[in-house]
Amino acid sequence: MFPELNNLLNITPDRAEQGKLTLLCDAKTDGSFLVHHFLSFYLKANCKVCFVALIQSFSHYNIVGQKLGVSLTAARECGQLVFLEGLKSSVDVFFRAQAEPHPLQFLREADAGNLQPLYEFVRETLKPMDDGQAAWRCPVLLVDDLSVLLSLGLGAVAVLDFIHYCRVAVCWERKGNIVALAHDSGDGEDKENDILLNGLSHQSHLILRAEGLATGFCRDVHGQLRILWRTPSQPTAQRDGSLTYQYKIQDKSVSFFAKGMSPAVL
Amino acid sequence: MAAVATCGTGAGSTGSIVATTSKNNVTSFQRKGPRASGTDSGCSRLVSIAGTRPSVRNGQLLVSTGLPALDQLLGGGLAVGTVLLIEEDKYNIYSSLLFKYFLAEGIINGHTLLVASAKEDPADILQELPAPLLDDNYKKDLDEDICNHQTPDSNIKMKIAWRYQLLPKMESGPVSSSRFGHYYDASKRMPRELIETSKWHGFFFPEKLSSTLNKEPCSLTHGYRRLLQFIQKVIYEEGFDGSNPQKKQKNILRIGIQNLGSPLWGDDICCTENCDNSHSLTKFLYVLRGLLRTSLSACIITMPAHLIQNRAIIARITNLSDTVVGLESFIGSERETNPLYKDYHGLIHIRQIPRLNNLIYDVSDVKDLAFKLKRKLFTIEVDKHN
């Protein structure tokens, strides 16, 4: 986790909030550093994490996690982390007929399926332990990322349904958190993606949006991060807070600074 | 931005963390920590596969794309287990050249090839590969190595020479060539003997059309399904994914797929804007990447992206690929007669470079890159006139 981002969001691993949906979104840049941040944050906060990783392999997250101070292999072995590796499982699902429904069963279906097997998998993983061993603090579902589900033949409504069901099971029943990444194509070309993003934005409590700089590529400032706090249940109750920072990604951390205050410029 | 392999120079650079993998799986994303230098097979773990080298930044295993200039722009080479997507130029002249460079590099290094095309027979494609450029400097180095092998008398002398042998030669310019990445002469053909001794598998789609297919419903078009099954069969049977107990493969499989997405594959993504099975190509890319990540292979795909009418699909395809390079040739455009561009044949856009095992990635500061093809060389330069 990045300490500077914790300061900006005003959270620490000891005082993690519960029952929240956080939306990570990136436009014209790569927002995966936010996924690494939240993964290491919740592992350090002693939460049980179910990570649906559809884009990269386990060793990728593991190696970056080690730079950030968590060991995914150790977490997986002791049961704190349940890792669904999309790329590896997709090969199994696609080439061999499975006996029982696999979480990624929709890969074998001809027309638009739904994500019910995946929801069942998540619910099964994050259900409370009966035997009372090693009680983790709260369950967390982390998805990287949701936009790839649209590329695999599912409709935006199916993905929104999945998130809705997960919110009921994880956020409301078990007082856990959900963090999901979605891409924003930006120019309105991808209508399904826009529907998905709008639907998620209205349900989220916290939106972190990483954007590329409007002026193009810069070596010292990699992008801009907009943080938006929302209260979905009372949309007009209070004004939502919003902050904008610029960031530069380094080997083991990300540094944030106010707009125009990059150390390279000052 | 020359990358120097760290073998023999030991400690701090790539660290000593090795990601654990389950026994049956071989992923290429293993951090290969260097052993203590000076052991007898010192760097055999790192450079045990011909034609590969570990990346300086994260120990990721890299192969050459066949074009050393492109290797430098991509941060040292193409990572094993990833996809290089080339967005074709308008008349598919230069992209097919890059495709052939990739395959030729595989033949020179002794890698196994898998060539898939719907337009040309893979055997014909292999006949047209460019000849490698082995110039005098490289021959001299080769002779030196052979001499050192044959003088076992002085132990001290052999040790020094042996250490130098293990360091791959850095490419210092277009004349000398190195063990990683070679230069090719586009006007000559690769010698037949080299092609015949190499191991390759061909997938020519019109030939596979007639054979039967188990009728499981799936949203992939027929061509893509057959191709995926073929690739998976080769990977499994030849042991590239480490799961076949009989075969212990220590070689790279180079997969080349030509004109993916064109109507010849049975896909209508290039024909209409609202196509019936618009998810066919993206699903194919996803499962292909799954196959690559779990095996020792690297893939090049050329795609006529300028024909795809639905721009949303291009964004999705870019997100599903690891490295994306776009070629834009000046032929037929108004830039051909523009005096600013008279030295070049086209522009090359590096659209995406993956961040593998890392938060950051090697990106060159220069974004205006142009290429020109002379008889012997495909050079990529900073566009001086921009």
Side-chain angles (χ1 to χ4, degrees):
Chain A
M1 62 176 189
F2 310 128
E4 292 191 33
L5 186 54
N6 282 345
N7 293 339
L8 294 181
L9 295 175
N10 210 9
I11 48 174
T12 62
D14 310 320
R15 296 189 295 114
E17 292 182 318
Q18 294 192 307
K20 303 282 184 217
L21 168 64
T22 304
L23 174 66
L24 310 174
C25 143
D26 57 14
K28 293 194 179 6
T29 187
D30 188 2
S32 56
F33 69 97
L34 295 169
V35 175
H36 294 298
H37 163 83
F38 279 103
L39 177 61
S40 52
F41 175 84
Y42 282 117
L43 284 177
K44 282 192 181 164
N46 214 20
C47 297
K48 175 149 187 178
V49 178
C50 173
F51 189 5
V52 178
L54 299 171
I55 280 286
Q56 297 285 4
S57 58
F58 176 77
S59 44
H60 166 82
Y61 294 104
N62 193 21
I63 292 177
V64 182
Q66 274 162 348
K67 292 188 184 197
L68 300 183
V70 291
S71 165
L72 295 193
T73 31
R76 192 162 66 165
E77 273 160 25
C78 74
Q80 189 189 8
L81 171 67
V82 175
F83 197 96
L84 175 63
E85 194 168 346
L87 287 174
K88 194 167 74 156
S89 314
S90 69
V91 174
D92 292 331
V93 171
F94 189 79
F95 291 108
R96 289 179 271 279
Q98 304 286 308
E100 69 253 357
H102 190 274
L104 300 181
Q105 191 65 28
F106 58 89
L107 281 173
R108 289 185 75 88
E109 280 156 29
D111 47 5
N114 62 19
L115 284 165
Q116 189 169 351
L118 188 58
Y119 162 69
E120 304 283 347
F121 170 79
V122 170
R123 202 175 59 167
E124 186 63 31
T125 312
L126 293 178
K127 73 171 193 278
M129 309 237 70
D130 313 326
D131 45 358
Q133 41 134 274
W136 307 110
R137 186 180 295 161
C138 64
V140 175
L141 168 65
L142 190 54
V143 185
D144 180 20
D145 58 63
L146 288 174
S147 302
V148 78
L149 292 172
L150 298 179
S151 306
L152 292 176
L154 294 158
V157 176
V159 183
L160 284 171
D161 284 345
F162 165 71
I163 288 289
H164 179 79
Y165 273 78
C166 286
R167 264 194 18 191
V168 170
V170 176
C171 293
W172 191 74
E173 276 177 11
R174 305 264 348 263
K175 304 284 181 293
N177 292 331
I178 298 183
V179 181
L181 174 73
H183 296 297
D184 185 5
S185 54
D187 40 7
E189 294 274 346
D190 196 345
K191 303 229 171 359
E192 292 269 312
N193 203 17
D194 289 343
I195 295 174
L196 174 64
L197 211 51
N198 283 336
L200 286 174
S201 308
H202 283 293
Q203 298 175 33
S204 327
H205 296 92
L206 175 64
I207 301 180
L208 293 176
R209 197 182 152 86
E211 298 164 348
L213 294 177
T215 43
F217 170 73
C218 170
R219 200 171 13 157
D220 299 303
V221 179
H222 291 153
Q224 186 162 287
L225 182 71
R226 283 153 87 127
I227 307 175
L228 180 64
W229 284 273
R230 296 185 74 249
T231 43
S233 45
Q234 304 136 29
T236 54
Q238 62 197 69
R239 180 160 288 183
D240 300 328
S242 137
L243 285 177
T244 308
Y245 291 94
Q246 291 180 339
Y247 62 86
K248 176 178 178 178
I249 304 178
Q250 286 141 355
D251 190 39
K252 292 190 181 183
S253 69
V254 178
S255 61
F256 293 86
F257 34 86
K259 277 204 278 197
M261 307 285 270
S262 157
V265 169
L266 295 174
Chain B
M1 213 172 96
V4 180
T6 55
C7 84
T9 55
S13 47
T14 55
S16 52
I17 306 162
V18 175
T20 55
T21 55
S22 63
K23 293 255 170 5
N24 298 334
N25 271 346
V26 169
T27 78
S28 58
F29 292 135
Q30 276 179 348
R31 225 0 150 52
K32 292 177 171 62
R35 295 280 156 157
S37 51
T39 55
D40 54 348
S41 59
C43 301
S44 61
R45 275 168 149 256
L46 283 176
V47 289
S48 58
I49 308 178
T52 64
R53 70 174 175 194
S55 152
V56 180
R57 189 176 284 291
N58 54 13
Q60 178 66 47
L61 202 61
L62 301 176
V63 292
S64 170
T65 54
L67 200 60
L70 189 61
D71 287 342
Q72 283 197 331
L73 288 171
L74 299 182
L78 182 65
V80 172
T82 62
V83 169
L84 170 62
L85 178 73
I86 309 248
E87 293 178 355
E88 290 175 8
D89 54 306
K90 211 157 149 198
Y91 301 104
N92 196 14
I93 299 174
Y94 301 105
S95 44
S96 66
L97 200 57
L98 286 188
F99 187 77
K100 289 184 181 135
Y101 282 144
F102 185 84
L103 296 177
E105 184 70 25
I107 290 191
I108 298 292
N109 288 320
H111 297 159
T112 308
L113 299 183
L114 194 160
V115 187
S117 173
K119 194 165 71 163
E120 286 175 77
D121 198 337
D124 295 337
I125 297 177
L126 287 179
Q127 298 303 322
E128 291 172 7
L129 293 183
L133 209 58
L134 293 173
D135 58 354
D136 290 331
N137 284 354
Y138 181 71
K139 279 217 188 98
K140 225 186 288 176
D141 292 336
L142 210 55
D143 287 339
E144 255 178 324
D145 288 348
I146 296 171
C147 283
N148 288 330
H149 271 295
Q150 289 166 353
T151 55
D153 42 340
S154 166
N155 273 343
I156 301 169
K157 199 171 158 195
M158 192 168 104
K159 238 188 219 159
I160 295 174
W162 174 73
R163 293 287 295 234
Y164 282 155
Q165 271 177 346
L166 289 180
L167 284 177
K169 310 224 176 343
M170 302 207 327
E171 41 126 7
S172 50
V175 183
S176 68
S177 80
S178 57
R179 229 178 289 169
F180 182 88
H182 298 82
Y183 292 93
Y184 295 94
D185 187 345
S187 62
K188 297 203 192 102
R189 297 266 172 267
M190 180 165 290
R192 289 189 79 92
E193 315 82 62
L194 280 176
I195 302 176
E196 274 154 26
T197 52
S198 68
K199 193 142 194 294
W200 62 275
H201 304 269
F203 180 94
F204 187 39
F205 180 49
E207 276 172 13
K208 312 275 181 177
L209 262 179
S210 48
S211 36
T212 55
L213 170 70
N214 53 342
K215 294 286 175 220
E216 280 236 26
C218 178
S219 67
L220 283 193
T221 53
H222 184 58
Y224 297 152
R225 268 204 93 190
R226 301 286 300 165
L227 179 56
L228 272 179
Q229 283 168 340
F230 183 77
I231 294 176
Q232 195 255 347
K233 189 168 75 101
V234 170
I235 288 180
Y236 177 69
E237 283 174 5
E238 306 260 325
F240 287 104
D241 59 354
S243 65
N244 199 341
Q246 280 90 33
K247 276 271 195 161
K248 279 285 167 236
Q249 184 65 262
K250 267 305 194 172
N251 202 355
I252 304 280
L253 174 68
R254 285 190 183 230
I255 303 175
I257 307 177
Q258 216 181 24
N259 303 125
L260 191 68
S262 81
L264 291 170
W265 284 101
D267 197 2
D268 58 352
I269 216 172
C270 292
C271 308
T272 67
E273 189 158 352
N274 300 319
C275 24
D276 296 330
N277 42 0
S278 55
H279 301 122
S280 186
L281 182 57
T282 43
K283 225 186 209 184
F284 170 83
L285 281 175
Y286 187 79
V287 181
L288 175 69
R289 230 159 126 249
L291 278 174
L292 292 177
R293 286 285 199 274
T294 50
S295 63
L296 283 173
S297 44
C299 179
I300 188 173
I301 300 180
T302 67
M303 184 179 291
H306 56 98
L307 292 177
I308 296 180
Q309 318 211 349
N310 191 343
R311 309 308 297 175
I313 295 189
I314 303 240
R316 288 183 186 178
I317 289 171
T318 305
N319 285 336
L320 283 171
S321 317
D322 297 298
T323 315
V324 182
V325 170
L327 291 177
E328 181 192 334
S329 83
F330 293 149
I331 298 177
S333 75
E334 72 270 5
R335 289 181 182 172
E336 199 173 7
T337 49
N338 191 336
L340 288 178
Y341 289 119
K342 65 174 167 48
D343 294 331
Y344 303 110
H345 288 120
L347 297 176
I348 185 164
H349 307 282
I350 310 282
R351 300 215 196 271
Q352 180 170 279
I353 298 183
R355 297 172 198 243
L356 294 170
N357 300 343
N358 229 324
L359 286 171
I360 49 179
Y361 59 144
D362 286 316
V363 57
S364 87
D365 291 340
V366 185
K367 299 290 170 185
D368 300 317
L369 297 161
F371 67 85
K372 61 182 169 214
L373 175 67
K374 297 189 286 209
R375 188 173 65 98
K376 290 200 175 184
L377 289 177
F378 188 105
T379 55
I380 301 178
E381 297 173 4
V382 175
D383 188 0
K384 293 190 265 287
H385 303 297
N386 230 351

PDB file of all heavy atoms in Angstrom, chain A residues 32 39 67 83 97 122 157 160 182 224 248 251 254 258 266:
ATOM      1  N   SER A  32      -3.684   0.221 -12.772  1.00  0.00           N
ATOM      2  CA  SER A  32      -3.507  -1.012 -12.006  1.00  0.00           C
ATOM      3  C   SER A  32      -2.744  -0.782 -10.713  1.00  0.00           C
ATOM      4  O   SER A  32      -2.806  -1.608  -9.806  1.00  0.00           O
ATOM      5  CB  SER A  32      -2.810  -2.069 -12.848  1.00  0.00           C
ATOM      6  OG  SER A  32      -1.593  -1.578 -13.330  1.00  0.00           O
ATOM      7  N   LEU A  39      -5.001  -4.152  -2.664  1.00  0.00           N
ATOM      8  CA  LEU A  39      -4.735  -5.551  -2.315  1.00  0.00           C
ATOM      9  C   LEU A  39      -3.810  -5.616  -1.103  1.00  0.00           C
ATOM     10  O   LEU A  39      -4.084  -6.309  -0.115  1.00  0.00           O
ATOM     11  CB  LEU A  39      -4.094  -6.268  -3.510  1.00  0.00           C
ATOM     12  CG  LEU A  39      -3.695  -7.710  -3.305  1.00  0.00           C
ATOM     13  CD1 LEU A  39      -4.886  -8.566  -2.976  1.00  0.00           C
ATOM     14  CD2 LEU A  39      -3.019  -8.248  -4.567  1.00  0.00           C
ATOM     15  N   LYS A  67       7.069  -6.112  -3.274  1.00  0.00           N
ATOM     16  CA  LYS A  67       7.659  -4.778  -3.204  1.00  0.00           C
ATOM     17  C   LYS A  67       6.895  -3.891  -2.248  1.00  0.00           C
ATOM     18  O   LYS A  67       7.446  -2.974  -1.652  1.00  0.00           O
ATOM     19  CB  LYS A  67       7.633  -4.115  -4.577  1.00  0.00           C
ATOM     20  CG  LYS A  67       8.524  -4.764  -5.561  1.00  0.00           C
ATOM     21  CD  LYS A  67       8.609  -3.946  -6.826  1.00  0.00           C
ATOM     22  CE  LYS A  67       9.449  -4.726  -7.803  1.00  0.00           C
ATOM     23  NZ  LYS A  67       9.943  -3.987  -8.880  1.00  0.00           N
ATOM     24  N   PHE A  83      -7.538 -16.680  -4.376  1.00  0.00           N
ATOM     25  CA  PHE A  83      -7.147 -16.056  -5.629  1.00  0.00           C
ATOM     26  C   PHE A  83      -7.744 -16.831  -6.786  1.00  0.00           C
ATOM     27  O   PHE A  83      -7.449 -18.001  -6.960  1.00  0.00           O
ATOM     28  CB  PHE A  83      -5.604 -16.084  -5.710  1.00  0.00           C
ATOM     29  CG  PHE A  83      -5.034 -15.154  -6.725  1.00  0.00           C
ATOM     30  CD1 PHE A  83      -4.598 -13.902  -6.349  1.00  0.00           C
ATOM     31  CD2 PHE A  83      -4.928 -15.522  -8.050  1.00  0.00           C
ATOM     32  CE1 PHE A  83      -4.057 -13.036  -7.274  1.00  0.00           C
ATOM     33  CE2 PHE A  83      -4.395 -14.664  -8.983  1.00  0.00           C
ATOM     34  CZ  PHE A  83      -3.953 -13.416  -8.586  1.00  0.00           C
ATOM     35  N   ALA A  97     -14.454 -29.889 -20.647  1.00  0.00           N
ATOM     36  CA  ALA A  97     -15.773 -29.732 -20.028  1.00  0.00           C
ATOM     37  C   ALA A  97     -15.651 -30.026 -18.545  1.00  0.00           C
ATOM     38  O   ALA A  97     -15.072 -31.012 -18.128  1.00  0.00           O
ATOM     39  CB  ALA A  97     -16.767 -30.692 -20.681  1.00  0.00           C
ATOM     40  N   VAL A 122     -17.923 -16.428  -5.121  1.00  0.00           N
ATOM     41  CA  VAL A 122     -17.548 -15.357  -4.199  1.00  0.00           C
ATOM     42  C   VAL A 122     -18.250 -15.536  -2.862  1.00  0.00           C
ATOM     43  O   VAL A 122     -17.656 -15.408  -1.785  1.00  0.00           O
ATOM     44  CB  VAL A 122     -17.904 -13.984  -4.817  1.00  0.00           C
ATOM     45  CG1 VAL A 122     -17.762 -12.881  -3.805  1.00  0.00           C
ATOM     46  CG2 VAL A 122     -17.028 -13.714  -6.014  1.00  0.00           C
ATOM     47  N   VAL A 157     -25.470  -5.310 -18.332  1.00  0.00           N
ATOM     48  CA  VAL A 157     -26.483  -5.566 -17.312  1.00  0.00           C
ATOM     49  C   VAL A 157     -26.106  -6.787 -16.485  1.00  0.00           C
ATOM     50  O   VAL A 157     -26.299  -6.819 -15.265  1.00  0.00           O
ATOM     51  CB  VAL A 157     -27.859  -5.761 -17.994  1.00  0.00           C
ATOM     52  CG1 VAL A 157     -28.901  -6.114 -16.986  1.00  0.00           C
ATOM     53  CG2 VAL A 157     -28.236  -4.499 -18.729  1.00  0.00           C
ATOM     54  N   LEU A 160     -23.522  -5.682 -14.020  1.00  0.00           N
ATOM     55  CA  LEU A 160     -24.127  -4.864 -12.967  1.00  0.00           C
ATOM     56  C   LEU A 160     -24.923  -5.734 -12.005  1.00  0.00           C
ATOM     57  O   LEU A 160     -24.920  -5.494 -10.793  1.00  0.00           O
ATOM     58  CB  LEU A 160     -25.020  -3.788 -13.578  1.00  0.00           C
ATOM     59  CG  LEU A 160     -24.277  -2.605 -14.195  1.00  0.00           C
ATOM     60  CD1 LEU A 160     -25.234  -1.719 -14.961  1.00  0.00           C
ATOM     61  CD2 LEU A 160     -23.572  -1.794 -13.120  1.00  0.00           C
ATOM     62  N   ALA A 182     -12.610  -0.638 -13.392  1.00  0.00           N
ATOM     63  CA  ALA A 182     -13.235  -0.644 -14.710  1.00  0.00           C
ATOM     64  C   ALA A 182     -12.521   0.390 -15.568  1.00  0.00           C
ATOM     65  O   ALA A 182     -12.085   1.420 -15.064  1.00  0.00           O
ATOM     66  CB  ALA A 182     -14.725  -0.299 -14.588  1.00  0.00           C
ATOM     67  N   GLN A 224      -3.081  11.918 -13.308  1.00  0.00           N
ATOM     68  CA  GLN A 224      -3.853  12.704 -12.356  1.00  0.00           C
ATOM     69  C   GLN A 224      -4.861  11.775 -11.696  1.00  0.00           C
ATOM     70  O   GLN A 224      -5.462  10.936 -12.365  1.00  0.00           O
ATOM     71  CB  GLN A 224      -4.591  13.772 -13.159  1.00  0.00           C
ATOM     72  CG  GLN A 224      -5.333  14.773 -12.347  1.00  0.00           C
ATOM     73  CD  GLN A 224      -5.623  15.970 -13.222  1.00  0.00           C
ATOM     74  OE1 GLN A 224      -4.735  16.753 -13.533  1.00  0.00           O
ATOM     75  NE2 GLN A 224      -6.860  16.084 -13.617  1.00  0.00           N
ATOM     76  N   LYS A 248       3.168  10.377  -9.480  1.00  0.00           N
ATOM     77  CA  LYS A 248       4.264   9.778 -10.243  1.00  0.00           C
ATOM     78  C   LYS A 248       4.534   8.409  -9.632  1.00  0.00           C
ATOM     79  O   LYS A 248       4.693   8.289  -8.421  1.00  0.00           O
ATOM     80  CB  LYS A 248       5.511  10.652 -10.123  1.00  0.00           C
ATOM     81  CG  LYS A 248       6.691  10.036 -10.818  1.00  0.00           C
ATOM     82  CD  LYS A 248       7.915  10.885 -10.771  1.00  0.00           C
ATOM     83  CE  LYS A 248       9.021  10.110 -11.464  1.00  0.00           C
ATOM     84  NZ  LYS A 248      10.257  10.773 -11.552  1.00  0.00           N
ATOM     85  N   ASP A 251       9.373   2.871  -8.312  1.00  0.00           N
ATOM     86  CA  ASP A 251       9.552   1.422  -8.286  1.00  0.00           C
ATOM     87  C   ASP A 251       8.737   0.752  -7.190  1.00  0.00           C
ATOM     88  O   ASP A 251       8.138  -0.282  -7.397  1.00  0.00           O
ATOM     89  CB  ASP A 251      11.040   1.129  -8.091  1.00  0.00           C
ATOM     90  CG  ASP A 251      11.325  -0.331  -8.291  1.00  0.00           C
ATOM     91  OD1 ASP A 251      10.718  -0.930  -9.202  1.00  0.00           O
ATOM     92  OD2 ASP A 251      12.136  -0.890  -7.545  1.00  0.00           O
ATOM     93  N   VAL A 254       4.162   5.256  -4.866  1.00  0.00           N
ATOM     94  CA  VAL A 254       3.640   6.284  -5.750  1.00  0.00           C
ATOM     95  C   VAL A 254       3.638   7.569  -4.954  1.00  0.00           C
ATOM     96  O   VAL A 254       3.197   7.595  -3.800  1.00  0.00           O
ATOM     97  CB  VAL A 254       2.204   5.934  -6.185  1.00  0.00           C
ATOM     98  CG1 VAL A 254       1.633   7.015  -7.065  1.00  0.00           C
ATOM     99  CG2 VAL A 254       2.200   4.614  -6.926  1.00  0.00           C
ATOM    100  N   ALA A 258       0.065  18.052  -5.232  1.00  0.00           N
ATOM    101  CA  ALA A 258      -1.011  18.890  -5.762  1.00  0.00           C
ATOM    102  C   ALA A 258      -0.699  19.242  -7.206  1.00  0.00           C
ATOM    103  O   ALA A 258       0.440  19.173  -7.650  1.00  0.00           O
ATOM    104  CB  ALA A 258      -1.151  20.143  -4.909  1.00  0.00           C
ATOM    105  N   LEU A 266       9.185  22.338  -9.551  1.00  0.00           N
ATOM    106  CA  LEU A 266       9.504  23.368  -8.544  1.00  0.00           C
ATOM    107  C   LEU A 266      10.990  23.644  -8.487  1.00  0.00           C
ATOM    108  O   LEU A 266      11.776  22.745  -8.634  1.00  0.00           O
ATOM    109  CB  LEU A 266       9.024  22.892  -7.172  1.00  0.00           C
ATOM    110  CG  LEU A 266       7.501  22.745  -7.038  1.00  0.00           C
ATOM    111  CD1 LEU A 266       7.170  22.142  -5.697  1.00  0.00           C
ATOM    112  CD2 LEU A 266       6.851  24.102  -7.178  1.00  0.00           C
TER     113      LEU A 266
END
